[in-house]
Each structure stands twice: as structure tokens, then as C-alpha cells.
């Protein structure tokens, strides 16, 4: 008769260790990013169109297109593979960003903010945890996000007859560093961190709170049904609260700079906000909302289902 072996204390510690959960979050994020990346590139192109572009002779405004026409235009004019241009730095970003934000949120939930005695985690604590975790993760990942945005815009720049700025991921890093030093790698980090804090407030807090509610108030179990419903809610909330900051972040990061690294279009994220509102109106802050939400919904679904599943497979506790 085969002897049944139960996991010892050391096994449980390893299964719930920070390094393991960090690695599993990267695996889940890589899967989600690869599947939904074309929507992110289309969103970035939409957010840039309509802003005033500087040229040697005059200021012009780019023509306006919708989500579908923008995506179709990329395929026709640049090729279908261009829909994945910049995916490498995007994955690099998640190695830092998602690993840090997921790890930070759980550390805050378990050791700083603490759950209630009955195991629940109040909404206000989830909001604080989500804001903090998103800000921490994005600050460290900001250089990879800058490279991703610039690579996403290369196809359009070349079609407009502008000289290419970057050839590949590492060339982009070297170029940005040579032009602006370490500080240049963090260009746009303020709106970037603001956007990530808001998105994670929506994503992490909504997923955690919705999952708690469904498990406590319904007959649903901690399985893929609960994970799917929770991820659907988190994707919608994250897109709603994060889109304005995402627009500002994209425009700050994409603008040209002088020899000192100073932006030629916007002085700060607040200046970008006021110029956008003045020149294009309030709804310009929600440019790209459809592709953001259309991407966040499947991204959130793919990420959370994968993350919960790989945690279960490795013996780690459910999120």
C-alpha cells in the first residue's frame, strides 16, 4: 500500500514564498500580454492622434481615425506583424511591473494593512493597497514602458517620412540613455506612476473585493467561474479610472525632447492635461477607451485565470 505523503512546513513556505509568486505572476502576465498586445498598440496610436505636432515650418494636426480603422490601417500600411511591434519591452516591463505590483499588494494585505479577524479585507484597505502597489511597480518599470511607447510609434513615424528613432529594444534603451542619461530613462514617470496607481486601484482592489463578495454572499466556489466574474469587473473599473492618466502618460512619453531632455510639447503632466482639455475637450482624455477596455477585459481574464491556475498547480494559496 502506497504511503500518503503530506506537504511539510518547509514545502508550504516555499509554495507561498515571494519568489515563487513573483515568478508565477510573470508567467501569467506574459501570456496575457502576448495575446492582447495588438489592442495596446492600437490604443497608443489612437491616443497620439489629434495632438498638435511640432515641425520645422508649422504646427499641424494628425488626421483622426477610429479603433477599427486604425488597426486595419496598421495592417495594410505596415504589415500584420507590426501589431506586435514593441511586445518585447512590454514583456520586459511585466517582469518588473507585474512581479512588483502583485508581490507588493500581497505583502501590504498580509503584513502591513492586515486582513480582519474573519479573513476579509476591507474595500478601503484594498484601495490603498492597489494604489500603493501600482505606484511601486510602475516606478521601477517606467524605463521599459518608455521604450515600449516609442517602439509602438516607430511605424507611424516612418510612414510620415520622419527618421527612425530606434531599431530594436536595446537600441532604444541605449539611445534614450545617451540623450538623457538615467533621468532620461524615467521621462514621463510621474504620469506613468499616476496611471498605474489608478489602474491597480481598479484592478487589484476590484478583483480582490469582488472575489471576497462572491465567495461570502453567493454559493460560488473559489474556481474559474468566480475568477472570471471578478476579472470582468476589475477590467472595466481599471479602464474607467485609468484611461485619462494613460492618455497623458502616452503623450508625455512620445513627445520629442531637446538636447537637455526637456519636452518640446509639454512642460509637465499638468501642462499636458490643460493643453489637451483646451485644444480637444474633456473626451480627449478618453481617447482609446474602447481599445483600453477591450484589451483590459481579455488581459485581466487571461492574467487572473492563468495566475490562479498556476498558483493552484504549484500548491500556492489562492490569491
Amino acid at each position: 500500500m502506497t504511503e500518503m505523503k503530506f506537504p511539510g512546513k518547509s514545502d508550504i513556505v516555499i509554495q507561498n514564498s515571494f519568489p515563487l509568486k513573483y515568478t508565477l505572476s510573470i508567467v501569467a502576465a506574459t501570456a496575457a500580454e502576448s495575446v492582447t498586445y495588438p489592442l495596446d498598440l492600437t490604443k497608443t496610436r489612437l491616443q497620439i492622434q489629434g495632438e498638435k505636432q511640432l515641425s520645422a515650418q508649422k504646427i499641424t494636426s494628425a488626421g483622426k481615425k477610429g479603433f477599427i480603422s486604425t488597426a486595419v490601417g496598421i495592417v495594410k500600411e505596415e504589415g500584420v506583424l507590426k501589431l506586435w511591434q514593441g511586445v518585447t519591452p512590454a514583456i520586459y516591463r511585466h517582469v518588473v511591473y507585474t512581479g512588483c505590483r502583485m508581490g507588493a499588494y500581497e505583502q501590504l494585505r498580509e503584513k502591513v494593512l492586515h486582513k480582519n479577524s474573519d479573513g476579509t479585507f476591507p474595500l478601503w484597505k484594498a484601495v490603498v493597497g492597489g494604489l500603493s502597489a501600482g505606484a511601486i511597480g510602475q516606478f521601477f518599470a517606467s524605463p521599459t514602458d518608455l521604450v515600449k511607447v516609442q517602439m509602438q510609434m516607430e511605424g507611424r513615424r516612418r510612414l510620415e517620412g520622419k527618421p527612425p528613432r530606434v531599431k530594436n529594444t536595446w537600441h532604444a534603451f541605449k539611445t534614450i540613455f545617451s540623450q538623457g542619461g538615467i533621468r532620461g530613462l524615467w521621462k514621463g514617470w510621474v504620469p506613468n506612476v499616476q496611471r498605474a496607481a489608478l489602474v491597480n486601484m481598479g484592478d487589484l482592489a476590484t478583483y480582490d473585493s469582488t472575489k471576497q463578495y462572491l465567495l461570502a454572499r453567493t454559493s460560488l466556489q473559489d474556481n474559474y467561474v468566480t475568477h472570471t466574474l471578478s476579472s470582468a469587473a476589475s477590467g472595466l473599473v481599471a479602464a474607467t479610472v485609468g484611461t485619462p492618466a494613460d492618455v497623458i502618460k502616452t503623450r508625455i512619453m512620445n513627445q520629442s525632447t531637446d538636447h537637455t531632455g526637456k519636452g518640446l510639447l509639454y512642460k509637465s503632466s499638468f501642462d499636458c492635461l490643460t493643453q489637451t482639455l483646451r485644444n480637444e475637450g474633456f473626451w480627449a482624455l478618453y481617447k482609446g477607451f474602447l481599445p483600453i477596455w477591450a484589451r483590459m477585459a481579455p488581459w485581466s481574464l487571461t492574467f487572473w485565470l492563468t495566475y490562479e491556475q498556476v498558483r493552484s498547480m504549484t500548491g500556492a494559496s489562492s490569491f
Side-chain angles (χ1 to χ4, degrees), residues 222-245:
D222 192 354
N223 56 28
Y224 72 93
V225 177
T226 300
H227 303 158
T228 298
L229 293 174
S230 300
S231 67
S234 68
L236 179 59
V237 175
T240 301
V241 301
T243 297

Side-chain angles (χ1 to χ4, degrees), residues 98-248:
T98 295
C100 287
R101 76 182 181 101
M102 299 302 295
Y105 183 81
E106 286 202 76
Q107 290 295 311
L108 289 168
R109 184 178 65 181
E110 306 297 333
K111 298 182 179 181
V112 179
L113 299 172
H114 302 295
K115 293 181 178 179
N116 291 337
S117 57
D118 60 358
T120 59
F121 195 52
L123 178 60
W124 74 267
K125 289 187 177 182
V127 168
V128 172
L131 283 168
S132 302
I136 292 169
Q138 190 55 64
F139 176 78
F140 289 109
S142 196
T144 58
D145 212 29
L146 174 61
V147 169
K148 183 193 77 169
V149 168
Q150 294 203 356
M151 288 191 68
Q152 286 177 334
M153 295 307 300
E154 278 306 296
R156 174 178 144 177
R157 285 177 58 83
R158 295 177 188 185
L159 285 174
E160 293 175 346
K162 298 178 181 178
R165 288 187 296 193
V166 296
K167 299 177 182 178
N168 53 50
T169 302
W170 292 112
H171 179 250
F173 274 114
K174 289 191 293 184
T175 300
I176 295 169
F177 180 76
S178 64
Q179 293 177 348
I182 293 294
R183 183 178 179 181
L185 289 171
W186 265 265
K187 183 179 79 169
W189 74 268
V190 173
N192 213 6
V193 167
Q194 291 169 343
R195 179 254 181 195
L198 291 171
V199 167
N200 279 276
M201 178 187 71
D203 182 31
L204 293 172
T206 301
Y207 182 86
D208 200 6
S209 299
T210 301
K211 181 180 175 181
Q212 286 184 61
Y213 179 86
L214 292 175
L215 294 176
R217 303 293 180 88
T218 72
S219 59
L220 293 175
Q221 303 299 309
D222 192 354
N223 56 28
Y224 72 93
V225 177
T226 300
H227 303 158
T228 298
L229 293 174
S230 300
S231 67
S234 68
L236 179 59
V237 175
T240 301
V241 301
T243 297
D246 194 64
V247 171
I248 300 302

Side-chain angles (χ1 to χ4, degrees), residues 245-316:
D246 194 64
V247 171
I248 300 302
K249 177 226 36 169
T250 298
R251 293 187 170 196
I252 289 287
M253 286 187 159
N254 185 65
Q255 69 173 329
S256 299
T257 58
D258 61 19
H259 68 283
T260 65
K262 183 179 179 180
L264 298 178
L265 282 175
Y266 311 113
K267 299 176 182 178
S268 63
S269 56
F270 181 74
D271 181 48
C272 181
L273 172 64
T274 55
Q275 284 198 48
T276 300
L277 289 173
R278 182 172 61 250
N279 297 328
E280 303 169 59
F282 173 79
W283 292 112
L285 296 175
Y286 277 87
K287 280 187 175 181
F289 174 79
L290 179 59
I292 285 178
W293 177 69
R295 178 177 187 257
M296 277 191 176
W299 197 100
S300 184
L301 176 65
T302 305
F303 173 78
W304 285 111
L305 287 178
T306 304
Y307 189 45
E308 293 277 23
Q309 186 61 35
V310 293
R311 284 176 71 123
S312 177
M313 290 171 61
T314 58

